[in-house]
Amino acid sequence: MNRLIAFIALVVLAVQVSGTKFTDCGSQSGQVTSVDVTDCPDSADTCILKKGTTKGISIKFTSKSESKTLKAVVHGVIAGVPLPFNLPKSDGCKSGIACPTKNGENYTYANNLVIRNSYPSLGVTVRWELKDDQQQDMVCIEIPCEIQ
């Protein structure tokens, strides 16, 4: 019995440390299972965002509700203040997800974020949200980053 508990704990830990490090910041109608950011090593505590490049993001999650729409909203949080990032493609239903979402189904959202040369070089937390048709966060994740 103790071996079984230890094995389950090890599997849960392995799932949590695979992919880009992130924190769930209040996913209400979904459960995030993994996040992957282009060229951001799994072992990195901070994801480096180089100016003049584009970073791809992939978020795998399970929906806990049905929603006809999903809208992506991205902020850079600096000193606790959320500042909006421009996201040309904010329709989550055109970013790898077939809407409407269904309760209990697994989805993979994919999009890109342009890191503009005009952004200041500093540490930032990127908050990525997918809002359902009730304006609740189906997905809300935060990724520690540094703009260089």
Side-chain angles (χ1 to χ4, degrees):
M1 182 66 142
N2 287 340
R3 286 183 185 177
L4 178 61
I5 292 171
F7 175 75
I8 291 171
L10 184 61
V11 168
V12 168
L13 182 61
V15 167
Q16 290 178 341
V17 298
S18 65
T20 303
K21 291 185 181 180
F22 72 95
T23 302
D24 189 296
C25 54
S27 300
Q28 297 171 324
S29 56
Q31 181 174 359
V32 179
T33 55
S34 72
V35 176
D36 286 301
V37 176
T38 305
D39 298 325
C40 187
D42 295 353
S43 60
D45 288 333
T46 302
C47 188
I48 303 300
L49 306 177
K50 292 197 184 272
K51 295 179 189 183
T53 66
T54 300
K55 286 286 190 177
I57 187 167
S58 173
I59 304 171
K60 293 183 180 184
F61 66 96
T62 303
S63 176
K64 293 181 183 177
S65 68
E66 294 186 9
S67 181
K68 294 177 184 174
T69 62
L70 278 181
K71 180 178 179 178
V73 178
V74 182
H75 288 90
V77 182
I78 302 168
V81 178
L83 302 169
F85 269 113
N86 183 26
L87 194 61
K89 192 162 110 178
S90 64
D91 187 345
C93 299
K94 294 181 180 176
S95 298
I97 297 174
C99 293
T101 61
K102 297 179 181 164
N103 185 18
E105 293 290 318
N106 296 320
Y107 297 94
T108 301
Y109 166 84
N111 208 332
N112 293 306
L113 183 64
V114 175
I115 314 305
R116 300 188 188 282
N117 288 321
S118 60
Y119 291 163
S121 298
L122 50 71
V124 61
T125 299
V126 174
R127 180 182 299 152
W128 206 293
E129 299 165 274
L130 293 177
K131 296 196 172 282
D132 65 18
D133 51 16
Q134 301 299 312
Q135 295 304 305
Q136 290 187 350
D137 284 336
M138 184 169 288
V139 167
C140 182
I141 60 164
E142 291 184 334
I143 305 167
C145 297
E146 184 177 333
I147 299 174
Q148 295 182 348

